[in-house]
Amino acid sequence: MEYFTNVPKIKYEGKGSDNPLAFKYYNPDEKIGTKTMKDHLRFAVAYWHTYQGRGDDPFGPGTAVRPWDSISDEMELAKAKVEANFELCEKLGVPFFCFHDRDISPEAETLKETNRRLDVIAGMIKDRMKNSDVKLLWGTTNTFFNARFVHGASTSCNADVFAYAAAQVKKAMEITMELGGQNYVFWGGREGYETLLNTNMKLELDNFARFLKMAVDYAREIGFDGQFLIEPKPKEPTKHQYDFDAAAVIGFLKSYGLDKHFKMNIEANHATLAGHTFQHELRISRINGMLGSIDANQGDLLLGWDTDQFPTNIYETAMAMYEVLKDGGFKKGGLNFDAKVRRGSFEPEDLFYSHIAGMDAFAKGLKIAGKMLEDGKIERFVEERYASYRSGIGKDIIEGRAGFKELEAYAMNTDIRNKSGRQEMLESILNQYILEG
Ligand code: XUL
Ligand code: CO
């Protein structure tokens, strides 16, 4: 059955096109360097926003009109969404999708029945994959929606909840593996706290690390070789999320000896909530060898919450792709649109317009970043800025030949001369790449 009957297969028509159901910049087969755009960008559709999201907010229920709205049976609805997912991904030419366990299949009264339902839907997805090029980028668990997770999952004060969350991750990991998922994501839903008056922070953090260690052990046991990813977020839903930002997560993983097993899944809107730029979070991850994947979206800098908008800001996509290219491109990761259409964009076609907008914005960002690196103007400027560390006292510092005494002796006889950082000149060069690239 076809769900999006008004939407044809989306094609690349180039920047002169005024067809809103066509790509202007995303040309999947076009090569940037040695790889095609499709292989560079590795786009994914997020199951939760695309098929579960209905546009509800604290002031009113959802407004979404969806082709599956007349289906009332929960399992039939879940099956319809599997079909709709493949249709949407295939029409957009998006090679991947991502899900939480509870997105693809509804929770039942018992964990046993919930898992049985999951098996039914996962089986259906697996069958559908046989006739499709669409693959699973990552799976994850929803351990934040149900009331049992009121105090968190692995950081709950209640050990029974820890156990339940473990059972849920075990099953979701098995399904992810069964479906050939290339990564498994941990976003710490309610892993954080509201007040230290009722919180044993040390025990919660130790338990969080124990939980991740169990996941690593179980993956090894079943032979799951997907990449484990942690997705930092500073706040929301809890006031203080433990996975605050990439630096905090990397420090946490290192202090518990878990850093070899995890990389970051960086979400643009989470970066700005943490008071950082998207590029900052990607850079921190990259220089630590832990840039895994991206949740592609954007926030609204005038609003202090996770608005999960489709990414359309070319400056942001260019600088993000610059970090990805500097990292040698995605390995198992990709660009997952963790983004939802606005409440006012309630028609099924809006699901296509929004993905097209995001895909075009990242395609253009990729082209700009490719040009920046090919020209090397900015790279050379940065290299030159640190030239003092390539000879003389700088080289001695880097190579460990100078300590405080030697540096004091040197400083006594040195006339310091700084050079301009040329920020505005560089911003203007960047604008040239953006406007002409
Ligand atoms: C929440 C968020 C999640 C994760 C997956 O802010 O980004 O959807 O991406 O659990
Ligand atoms: Co996300």
Side-chain angles (χ1 to χ4, degrees):
M1 148 132 194
E2 189 179 3
Y3 289 94
F4 304 104
T5 46
N6 296 337
V7 182
K9 168 107 179 91
I10 310 298
K11 296 199 193 80
Y12 169 70
E13 292 186 5
K15 56 186 172 187
S17 167
D18 62 2
N19 174 5
L21 287 174
F23 297 118
K24 319 299 179 305
Y25 301 97
Y26 180 61
N27 183 6
D29 301 322
E30 184 179 330
K31 281 213 167 149
I32 306 289
T34 55
K35 280 198 294 192
T36 62
M37 278 197 176
K38 187 176 177 196
D39 290 342
H40 270 293
L41 296 165
R42 293 168 60 82
F43 288 125
V45 163
Y47 221 93
W48 51 105
H49 289 308
T50 310
Y51 312 109
Q52 302 293 83
R54 305 211 48 96
D56 42 303
D57 69 14
F59 305 95
T63 52
V65 174
R66 297 290 178 251
W68 47 83
D69 282 348
S70 60
I71 306 174
S72 54
D73 180 82
E74 281 190 316
M75 282 302 275
E76 289 311 309
L77 189 57
K79 288 176 189 169
K81 288 176 183 175
V82 171
E83 287 300 335
N85 176 50
F86 280 90
E87 183 188 333
L88 181 127
C89 290
E90 283 164 0
K91 283 186 169 169
L92 283 166
V94 168
F96 296 101
F97 64 101
C98 300
F99 61 68
H100 298 83
D101 47 2
R102 301 299 176 251
D103 302 331
I104 58 167
S105 158
E107 188 158 354
E109 285 294 308
T110 64
L111 183 58
K112 202 169 169 198
E113 172 59 12
T114 300
N115 285 352
R116 191 197 65 78
R117 289 180 173 189
L118 260 176
D119 285 333
V120 171
I121 301 296
M124 187 184 166
I125 294 177
K126 199 174 174 187
D127 273 352
R128 189 62 183 76
M129 278 176 160
K130 287 179 192 149
N131 315 310
S132 178
D133 294 332
V134 176
K135 299 188 182 75
L136 180 62
L137 187 67
W138 51 260
T140 188
T141 35
N142 178 333
T143 47
F144 42 88
F145 195 85
N146 191 287
R148 73 176 68 85
F149 300 115
V150 60
H151 300 308
S154 68
T155 64
S156 172
C157 49
N158 184 346
D160 289 352
V161 177
F162 183 107
Y164 196 100
Q168 218 179 300
V169 171
K170 174 179 176 291
K171 183 71 185 170
M173 202 194 298
E174 288 163 4
I175 281 175
T176 300
M177 179 170 148
E178 181 72 18
L179 297 176
Q182 304 192 11
N183 307 266
Y184 189 88
V185 167
F186 292 87
W187 167 61
R190 294 181 191 275
E191 310 292 36
Y193 67 87
E194 291 297 323
T195 171
L196 288 175
L197 290 172
N198 65 12
T199 301
N200 181 341
M201 188 195 263
K202 173 86 171 83
L203 180 64
E204 291 199 2
L205 285 169
D206 287 351
N207 280 349
F208 192 13
R210 286 186 182 103
F211 192 90
L212 295 177
K213 171 84 174 45
M214 288 177 199
V216 169
D217 289 346
Y218 189 65
R220 187 171 299 141
E221 196 180 320
I222 63 173
F224 175 60
D225 64 356
Q227 175 65 52
F228 276 141
L229 300 170
I230 296 199
E231 183 177 323
K233 185 175 185 182
K235 52 191 146 198
E236 198 198 38
T238 72
K239 175 177 166 171
H240 194 117
Q241 299 275 125
Y242 289 133
D243 292 336
F244 191 92
D245 61 3
V249 172
I250 293 168
F252 167 84
L253 290 170
K254 287 195 174 175
S255 67
Y256 287 96
L258 286 162
D259 49 309
K260 300 282 167 292
H261 306 288
F262 291 84
K263 289 187 175 177
M264 298 301 111
N265 183 38
I266 297 299
E267 177 166 327
N269 203 166
H270 296 179
T272 50
L273 282 179
H276 301 307
T277 60
F278 185 17
Q279 190 186 4
H280 170 96
E281 286 295 84
L282 294 168
R283 178 70 61 93
I284 291 274
S285 307
R286 173 165 77 75
I287 63 176
N288 280 283
M290 292 169 95
L291 173 48
S293 199
I294 289 180
D295 267 10
N297 63 12
Q298 69 187 31
D300 184 326
L301 295 182
L302 301 181
L303 304 174
W305 65 91
D306 200 11
T307 57
D308 283 342
Q309 287 163 237
F310 273 85
T312 52
N313 183 326
I314 306 290
Y315 278 85
E316 296 295 318
T317 60
M319 298 324 287
M321 289 317 294
Y322 178 82
E323 295 301 324
V324 171
L325 291 182
K326 286 279 287 178
D327 201 40
F330 287 121
K331 279 94 199 169
K332 295 189 173 182
L335 288 165
N336 167 48
F337 289 111
D338 191 353
K340 59 186 175 201
V341 287
R342 298 302 88 191
R343 193 166 186 269
S345 309
F346 53 84
E347 293 178 350
E349 293 79 0
D350 291 306
L351 295 175
F352 287 84
Y353 295 135
S354 55
H355 281 92
I356 291 169
M359 291 164 80
D360 268 343
F362 264 97
K364 183 74 181 166
L366 168 65
K367 282 188 143 183
I368 294 162
K371 193 87 204 322
M372 279 169 76
L373 285 165
E374 195 185 294
D375 272 10
K377 255 186 234 148
I378 290 179
E379 299 282 280
R380 278 196 298 281
F381 184 90
V382 175
E383 203 167 301
E384 206 32 49
R385 192 160 177 247
Y386 296 89
S388 68
Y389 286 95
R390 288 202 295 272
S391 62
I393 195 68
K395 197 168 184 207
D396 289 347
I397 293 171
I398 299 277
E399 293 178 357
R401 279 191 299 274
F404 272 9
K405 278 185 290 182
E406 293 77 13
L407 293 173
E408 182 188 48
Y410 180 86
M412 296 279 185
N413 297 302
T414 302
D415 196 10
I416 292 177
R417 285 204 201 133
N418 276 313
K419 286 187 186 155
S420 168
R422 300 265 188 263
Q423 181 172 335
E424 298 76 7
M425 180 194 84
L426 294 166
E427 285 168 345
S428 159
I429 294 175
L430 174 59
N431 274 352
Q432 260 182 303
Y433 286 123
I434 290 177
L435 296 169
E436 288 158 28

